[in-house]
Amino acid sequence: MDDMARTYDHPGELAAADPIRLLAVRDTPLSVDEVFGAVGDAAAGGTALFVGTVRDHDGGVEVGALGYSAHPTAEAELRRVAEKVVADFPVRALAAVHRVGDLVIGDLAVVVAVSCPHRAEAFAACRRLIDDLKAEVPIWKHQTFADGTEEWVGAG
């Protein structure tokens, strides 16, 4: 059944009028509580949250240092990605923040959350949000490994 023919038991079954509540690229520590709080919505039956942390290895090699940098258009691209998610899912609220600068093992690098009327929609929308953010938003990771090698990883 397509969306036009679907009947809704409650207005909360639809997307919110302005579901994008928080988008940011920051050089300060991130807060799971801030992102989770931003997506609270009385009509949401499911909230999915993803937290990306700096790990101590990549590809079997120990990470010695890690930093993120972003293109000046990163926040605008993050908004574009968020708007696509909102267009494709009945999002009640959405939030995404990404850290830039030098980070240490265990730091939060990215936190995204989506609330929707139902859990399956929330999971799918959150997955799309983080996957598209990583693939399309111009934020690059520079890793220096314990063996002295380094690599750049990122969107674009």
Side-chain angles (χ1 to χ4, degrees), residues 84-148:
K84 284 190 336 187
V85 171
V86 166
D88 291 344
F89 297 91
V91 174
R92 298 299 307 169
L94 177 150
V97 292
H98 201 297
R99 179 121 181 244
V100 293
D102 294 330
L103 284 74
V104 299
I105 305 306
D107 278 350
L108 306 184
V110 61
V111 182
V112 302
V114 179
S115 62
C116 292
H118 304 284
R119 72 178 176 273
E121 299 158 339
F123 278 126
C126 189
R127 173 81 184 242
R128 170 84 64 76
L129 178 60
I130 189 59
D131 287 351
D132 289 357
L133 184 161
K134 297 302 278 180
E136 300 176 27
V137 177
I139 298 173
W140 305 282
K141 175 172 61 174
H142 182 236
Q143 297 184 116
T144 304
F145 299 102
D147 66 5

